[in-house]
Amino acid sequence: MPPSMSRAKLLRQLYPYKPPSTSVDHLVIGGGVIGLSVAAGLVNTTGKDKITFLVERRGQSGQETTARNSEVIHSGIYYPLDSLKSKLCIQGRDMLYDRCERLKIGYKRTGKLVVATSESQVPYLQNLQTHSTHPSFLARPNDTSSSIISTSLISGAEARDLEPDLSSDVCAALHIPSTGIIDSQGLVNSLALEIEDPDYDPHPTTRDTRGEGVIVMGTRIVRIDREEDGKGWVVQMETGWEGLEKGGEKGEVESVRVEVVVNAAGLGAVSLLEGVVPKEDMIELYPVKGNYMSYKGPGVGKVSRLIYPCPSANVDHLGTHLTLDLEGHIKFGPDVQTIGTHEDATCDPNFWQSHLAPSSSPDIIASFARSVQDYLPAINPSLLTPDYAGIRPNIAPPEAGFSDFLIRHHEDRRGFVELLGFNSPGLTSSLAVGEMVARMIGRDVWRIGRGIRGKVQDLAEGWEA
């Protein structure tokens, strides 16, 4: 491939336009937790005459970003009040706990401590607590005791009463009881069942009105075109594609006419915009690697909660923190490791796959040890073991600061919905995202609950209702 040619442009050359041979109402691209949640929402809410296909390029759902995170259910405390991350994280958190309880998905409300190891960090904790009692977060107006993000600011001694392994340098901590952990694969499996199996449907009130859902594995999207009359989309899907690209061969290609395309392809989502979105609306991808280290050794024997340091100025990275899995195993991470530029992602959207091995560099391990020993001084650095690495689909360059989720349904691209930048807290927000996007499509495409279809409105408007 010429170095100046994008991967998306090359695919459009290799796969010329092909008239559709069949049609579906909704095509969701991407079988991670976001795509699965959206597909489930569409099946449940847009009517029994609608067919929703979910297409995943891997042989199993949830194998990319979803499978490589810390499995934390976040409280929603870190994000700006007017951001999608704040709104969707809080709503999604409560929806996750409810779903886990009802459907017996593994989870635990561990609670979390955000710790300050110097007096200079205490104002950050105070501001975080003040943020949690903002009127936007109050379940009942003027009653700070009813905040939907419950917190308590405690002393260092009180923090050590809760977590005796903490450093004597910890001078204050913010206790957040609503944080927890979840079996992410259990969630993925549950959503897949909800999409395809009407007898599994956890929404009995929609059982008689739900549509049909189909999940198609091992299939990638190679081309998306606007239908000539502008009323729909023509999408080419290729099965049997893995392992053929280098030899120039193709798998089996089918062209489908679709009323609504939902681009929830995660790390591949930006590449799918090319040829569909005008240049001025294009987004750039900046994949970022996060390493995780497992730990078995001294210094953590009494830990029962998640422990986070005060984060850096970039709130999309919350510091090298301690998390637990449902078996009580301890891991630290993630860190932040830049692995390429947006030009790299444009030329090869899959370049990140060569970076999936967790770093075993002595420098990286030493950096982990320094970060962790700041609040857990008795750990043995030699017992930190590289575990796994995840890649975040960031849509802002490194050091850019806070970056919100992007959910876009432009009035000039009716029926083409873009879900981009779903890094943390994407897992926590997923069920709320699915509900919001399904409702938006029902309103703006199928005119559910509206007398006439109007201009596509601001995406955050009315999602809470």
Side-chain angles (χ1 to χ4, degrees):
M1 179 176 67
S4 60
M5 182 181 292
S6 71
R7 180 64 178 166
K9 186 174 182 180
L10 176 63
L11 285 176
R12 295 184 74 81
Q13 289 184 3
L14 294 175
Y15 297 84
Y17 179 82
K18 183 178 181 179
S21 59
T22 188
S23 65
V24 297
D25 298 293
H26 311 122
L27 180 68
V28 179
I29 306 171
V33 72
I34 297 294
L36 289 163
S37 296
V38 171
L42 291 169
V43 168
N44 282 319
T45 64
T46 55
K48 64 180 180 179
D49 60 330
K50 301 293 189 296
I51 300 175
T52 299
F53 268 51
L54 182 143
V55 176
E56 165 55 43
R57 63 178 179 167
R58 304 299 180 192
Q60 184 178 348
S61 297
Q63 294 305 294
E64 293 189 358
T65 307
T66 299
R68 296 173 172 273
N69 66 78
S70 57
E71 299 189 303
V72 172
I73 300 177
H74 289 281
S75 67
I77 196 171
Y78 292 104
Y79 312 108
L81 293 169
D82 59 350
S83 67
L84 283 176
K85 284 189 174 181
S86 176
K87 297 173 182 178
L88 294 171
C89 182
I90 293 169
Q91 183 187 8
R93 175 201 71 193
D94 294 341
M95 293 174 74
L96 274 183
Y97 281 130
D98 176 70
R99 186 181 185 92
C100 289
E101 188 66 30
R102 288 187 296 107
L103 301 177
K104 309 306 179 187
I105 300 167
Y107 81 103
K108 184 176 182 181
R109 290 181 188 254
T110 58
K112 174 171 81 172
L113 291 180
V114 184
V115 298
T117 54
S118 69
E119 291 294 339
S120 64
Q121 293 176 337
V122 174
Y124 172 83
L125 297 183
Q126 294 169 334
N127 289 338
L128 206 59
Q129 186 186 38
T130 299
H131 181 69
S132 74
T133 58
H134 188 276
S136 297
F137 293 149
L138 299 184
R140 295 187 297 274
N142 304 316
D143 180 3
T144 58
S145 67
S146 65
S147 174
I148 55 179
I149 307 180
S150 176
T151 63
S152 57
L153 187 62
I154 59 178
S155 68
E158 290 171 318
R160 281 183 291 278
D161 286 340
L162 296 177
E163 296 293 346
D165 292 314
L166 284 173
S167 168
S168 59
D169 291 335
V170 171
C171 54
L174 192 67
H175 183 215
I176 309 174
S178 58
T179 301
I181 51 177
I182 186 172
D183 173 8
S184 60
Q185 190 59 48
L187 175 62
V188 164
N189 295 343
S190 168
L191 288 167
L193 281 170
E194 181 177 353
I195 292 165
E196 293 196 297
D197 183 358
D199 293 328
Y200 179 82
D201 185 6
H203 305 280
T205 58
T206 66
R207 185 180 300 278
D208 295 332
T209 59
R210 61 172 269 142
E212 180 182 352
V214 179
I215 297 176
V216 182
M217 296 293 180
T219 301
R220 69 171 181 171
I221 304 303
V222 294
R223 180 170 178 143
I224 303 173
D225 292 281
R226 189 71 173 264
E227 201 172 24
E228 287 187 2
D229 62 8
K231 294 181 178 178
W233 303 88
V234 178
V235 182
Q236 293 186 46
M237 307 184 296
E238 183 183 27
T239 57
W241 61 274
E242 289 191 277
L244 298 180
E245 292 180 296
K246 292 183 180 179
E249 301 176 67
K250 295 181 182 179
E252 182 178 346
V253 179
E254 182 177 9
S255 185
V256 180
R257 193 267 179 192
V258 182
E259 188 74 25
V260 177
V261 178
V262 180
N263 178 5
L267 288 157
V270 168
S271 181
L272 290 175
L273 301 183
E274 192 170 339
V276 178
V277 172
K279 186 175 181 180
E280 61 269 21
D281 286 347
M282 279 297 294
I283 303 296
E284 295 177 342
L285 181 70
Y286 299 86
V288 174
K289 179 177 181 178
N291 294 286
Y292 291 84
M293 302 276 176
S294 61
Y295 182 76
K296 292 182 180 179
V300 293
K302 298 179 180 179
V303 169
S304 61
R305 295 168 182 80
L306 310 188
I307 303 175
Y308 283 53
C310 288
S312 64
N314 181 358
V315 75
D316 274 349
H317 174 55
L318 302 181
T320 304
H321 47 265
L322 178 150
T323 61
L324 305 163
D325 64 19
L326 291 172
E327 286 72 44
H329 301 138
I330 286 175
K331 60 191 172 189
F332 295 106
D335 62 353
V336 175
Q337 187 176 351
T338 301
I339 57 173
T341 66
H342 74 88
E343 288 89 354
D344 295 324
T346 299
C347 293
D348 179 9
N350 296 318
F351 86 95
W352 55 268
Q353 293 181 144
S354 63
H355 296 272
L356 279 177
S359 178
S360 58
S361 158
D363 290 342
I364 295 290
I365 294 174
S367 176
F368 263 78
R370 287 193 299 271
S371 297
V372 173
Q373 285 181 313
D374 191 41
Y375 57 91
L376 291 171
I379 70 157
N380 183 342
S382 68
L383 299 178
L384 287 168
T385 304
D387 194 344
Y388 63 97
I391 310 294
R392 301 171 205 144
N394 290 4
I395 54 174
E399 309 301 329
F402 175 78
S403 175
D404 206 357
F405 299 147
L406 176 61
I407 300 179
R408 189 165 65 177
H409 183 204
H410 198 281
E411 59 186 13
D412 292 336
R413 298 186 290 277
R414 177 183 176 273
F416 187 78
V417 180
E418 305 158 49
L419 308 182
L420 305 171
F422 277 85
N423 48 23
S424 181
L427 177 68
T428 306
S429 305
S430 58
L431 298 182
V433 173
E435 182 178 280
M436 173 185 171
V437 173
R439 186 171 297 167
M440 181 186 70
I441 290 170
R443 180 192 68 207
D444 294 330
V445 177
W446 302 118
R447 292 187 276 184
I448 296 172
R450 298 179 65 174
I452 58 172
R453 179 175 59 83
K455 180 179 178 181
V456 175
Q457 299 173 356
D458 179 78
L459 292 176
E461 181 182 338
W463 72 270
E464 309 94 330

